[in-house]
């Protein structure tokens, strides 16, 4: 069983040396810790919040669209067995733009799979990860704890960690920043990041639809940004509505009838009338991209490496592939923080990372620009996607998470 160390004095905890130190116990950091434990590698996970679903900030109200590759990886980690009952399959995807002709469709049957992905509430995934963490045998968890400094060593780093009752010093051959968009680790390593503020916020809620959404996911664009409806296990729809940042608070505060009417105008009538919206939650949208994934004896994963626009729902999917690739390379090396392995990590992640970043940023700029001259080109692009099977299959493969050289844990026989 993984040991959770909290409320102990410094004298009670021995200084650790030789284990991978993961800073950040969110969805990606926890996944990396589990992958290392499964590979028989010692690790320490530093979690800022107590390890409970109701306290961890990444276990929030979002509904995650998990790519097929992601579910493959979670299955191999032993996590999916704890989450699948709360998940809804996505077998068909429909993409369109308001006021323009043409639509793009993907169908799992055409790709020879049972589902393109699954929708899962972030809280359900968080709970599944916590259950799997409890079964780890090579992992120590410091929670709640906070990294307060790092110092270079000849063969790694020494980290200073505030555990509440005192300060713990940990020597590690590999420091991993999994501490989110505003990563403290990234800053201390001297890795700069490029930041773009979309001046938009996401409003996340659930709604009921007059016609059942079944196993379909919808993404619709207009001049205000993307709107998505995702299938949920209980038959409701997960709504993701982008609005200008300066309007987000007012939109979230609308009464149910007014909010449902706004969602209806933005999404349209493909599922009939939308009604009975649930609680609304607001998330600002920024793009924060680290200029490097590695530093000496250190690596970044997940949102610490790149936080992208949620269009296409690629954020956690991309981050999990970071974690599984890094774990795979660590497991293959006798020297955990070896510079060659870290170079391999950056090189392995480059095609997937750069392709996903380009898709995310380019699509939001192209699909949501209010320029009439672009309308015919956008419509033709959607028609080409829909009518050209080789293009459709290539896009489906990438959307399912099989881009570049994926980690082995996400692969299946047909890839």
């Amino acid at each position: 069983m993984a040991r959770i160390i909290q409320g102990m004095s410094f004298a009670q905890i021995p200084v650790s040396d030789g284990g991978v130190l993961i800073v950040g116990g969110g969805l990606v950091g926890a996944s990396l810790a589990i992958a290392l434990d499964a590979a028989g590698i010692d690790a320490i996970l530093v979690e800022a919040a107590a390890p409970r679903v109701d306290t961890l900030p990444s276990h929030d109200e979002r509904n995650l669209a998990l790519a097929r590759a992601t579910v493959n990886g979670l299955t191999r980690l032993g996590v999916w067995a704890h989450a699948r009952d709360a998940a809804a399959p996505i077998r068909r995807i429909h993409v369109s733009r308001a006021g323009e002709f043409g639509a793009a469709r993907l169908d799992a049957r055409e790709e020879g799979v049972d589902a393109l992905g699954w929708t899962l509430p972030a809280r359900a995934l968080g709970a599944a990860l916590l259950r799997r963490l409890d079964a780890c045998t090579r992992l120590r968890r410091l929670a709640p704890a906070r990294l307060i400094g790092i110092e270079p060593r000849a063969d790694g780093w020494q980290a200073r960690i505030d555990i509440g009752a005192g300060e713990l010093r940990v020597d590690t051959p590999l420091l991993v920043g999994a501490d989110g968009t505003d990563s403290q680790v990234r800053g201390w390593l001297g890795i700069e990041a490029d930041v773009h503020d979309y001046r938009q916020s996401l409003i996340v809620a659930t709604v009921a639809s007059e016609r059942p959404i079944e196993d379909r996911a919808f993404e619709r664009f207009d001049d205000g940004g993307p709107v998505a409806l995702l299938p949920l296990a209980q038959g409701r729809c997960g709504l993701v509505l982008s609005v200008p940042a300066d309007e987000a608070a007012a939109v979230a505060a609308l009464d149910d009838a007014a909010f449902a009417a706004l969602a209806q105008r933005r999404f349209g009538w493909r599922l009939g009338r939308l009604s009975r919206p649930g609680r609304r939650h607001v998330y600002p949208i920024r793009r924060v991209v680290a200029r490097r994934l590695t530093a000496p004896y250190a690596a970044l994963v997940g949102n610490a490496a790149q936080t992208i626009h949620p269009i296409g729902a690629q954020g956690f999917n991309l981050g999990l592939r970071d974690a599984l690739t890094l774990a795979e390379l660590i497991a293959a090396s006798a020297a955990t923080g070896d510079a060659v392995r870290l170079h391999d990590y950056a090189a392995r992640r480059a095609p997937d990372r750069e392709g996903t970043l380009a898709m995310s940023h380019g699509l939001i700029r192209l699909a949501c620009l209010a320029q009439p001259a672009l309308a015919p080109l956008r419509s033709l692009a959607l028609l080409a996607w829909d009518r050209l099977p080789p293009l459709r299959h290539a896009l489906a493969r990438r959307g399912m998470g099989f881009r570049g050289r994926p980690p082995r844990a996400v692969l299946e026989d047909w890839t």
Side-chain angles (χ1 to χ4, degrees):
M1 299 286 288
R3 285 202 296 154
I4 303 175
I5 300 171
Q6 52 189 142
M8 302 176 69
S9 70
F10 171 74
Q12 292 175 288
I13 307 173
V15 173
S16 170
D17 55 5
V20 177
L21 181 62
I22 305 166
V23 180
L27 303 180
V28 173
S31 298
L32 175 60
I34 293 166
L36 292 176
D37 183 82
I41 297 166
D42 293 333
I44 298 173
L45 180 62
V46 178
E47 306 170 64
R52 302 197 314 267
V53 173
D54 60 338
T55 60
L56 291 170
S58 61
H59 302 178
D60 54 25
E61 304 305 321
R62 294 168 299 157
N63 291 301
L64 303 173
L66 303 180
R68 185 175 184 85
T70 294
V71 173
N72 289 347
L74 293 173
T75 299
R76 288 180 173 86
L77 291 180
V79 173
W80 191 243
H82 302 303
R84 61 188 171 205
D85 288 346
I90 299 173
R91 296 189 173 95
R92 292 170 287 171
I93 296 174
H94 186 280
V95 181
S96 61
R97 193 183 193 282
E100 297 178 11
F101 68 89
R105 301 169 182 84
L106 297 177
D107 192 313
R109 291 173 299 182
E110 291 187 0
E111 306 307 322
V113 296
D114 61 334
L116 300 168
W118 282 261
T119 307
L120 182 71
R123 285 192 179 276
L125 177 56
L129 287 165
L130 288 176
R131 290 185 65 181
R132 180 62 182 84
L133 283 169
D134 286 342
C136 291
T137 58
R138 305 292 293 266
L139 176 67
R140 288 197 299 168
R141 296 159 67 188
L142 305 179
R146 183 170 60 91
L147 184 69
I148 56 176
I150 57 174
E151 299 175 7
R153 291 289 185 263
D155 55 356
W157 295 91
Q158 184 173 94
R160 295 168 45 228
I161 302 170
D162 179 359
I163 58 170
E167 180 183 305
L168 176 67
R169 291 179 181 263
V170 174
D171 291 332
T172 178
L174 180 62
L175 173 66
V176 180
D179 52 339
T181 302
D182 298 312
S183 171
Q184 192 175 49
V185 172
R186 186 180 65 223
W188 279 339
L189 292 173
I191 298 177
E192 296 182 348
D194 296 316
V195 180
H196 179 81
D197 187 348
Y198 288 100
R199 296 186 175 87
Q200 285 187 322
S201 292
L202 286 186
I203 298 181
V204 175
T206 64
V207 295
S209 58
E210 183 179 5
R211 290 193 287 275
I213 191 169
E214 297 175 325
D215 53 8
R216 296 172 292 173
F218 295 87
E219 185 133 40
R220 187 162 177 82
F221 302 100
D222 63 17
D223 295 349
V227 182
L229 279 183
L230 303 170
L232 298 179
Q234 65 270 34
R236 284 173 64 83
C237 306
L239 171 69
V240 183
L241 180 69
S242 59
V243 299
D246 57 2
E247 299 176 13
V251 171
L254 291 172
D255 63 36
D256 286 357
F259 182 78
L262 173 62
Q264 192 85 66
R265 288 196 300 272
R266 295 285 303 278
F267 177 74
W269 293 85
R270 192 169 297 276
L271 293 178
R273 184 172 298 279
L274 303 179
S275 62
R276 293 185 287 129
R279 293 176 56 192
R280 273 83 84 182
H281 303 270
V282 179
Y283 301 91
I285 306 174
R286 287 186 299 153
R287 183 180 193 262
V288 181
V289 180
R291 294 183 181 177
R292 293 182 287 126
L293 288 182
T294 64
Y297 304 103
L300 302 176
V301 296
N303 282 349
Q306 64 276 316
T307 298
I308 64 176
H309 195 289
I311 191 172
Q314 289 298 313
F316 171 69
N317 296 297
L318 187 64
L320 183 67
R321 296 195 294 273
D322 290 343
L324 293 178
T325 300
L326 183 60
E328 180 181 309
L329 291 169
I330 293 171
S333 173
T336 301
D338 175 51
V340 173
R341 293 298 179 196
L342 292 177
H343 177 271
D344 288 348
Y345 168 65
R348 279 274 300 274
R349 295 304 301 135
D352 185 15
R353 182 176 189 252
E354 292 169 7
T356 304
L357 287 169
M359 180 277 294
S360 169
H361 195 56
L363 190 56
I364 196 66
R365 293 176 66 86
L366 177 63
C368 299
L369 280 176
Q371 293 191 14
L374 289 176
L377 296 177
R378 285 189 294 233
S379 296
L380 288 172
L382 287 173
L383 285 173
W385 179 351
D386 200 44
R387 302 293 177 84
L388 297 176
L391 176 60
R392 192 167 63 249
H393 295 324
L395 291 170
R397 178 182 170 84
R398 292 175 182 176
M400 287 188 285
F402 304 111
R403 183 197 294 268
R405 185 181 169 192
R408 288 194 299 270
V410 310
L411 297 177
E412 27 189 317
D413 293 342
W414 64 271
T415 61

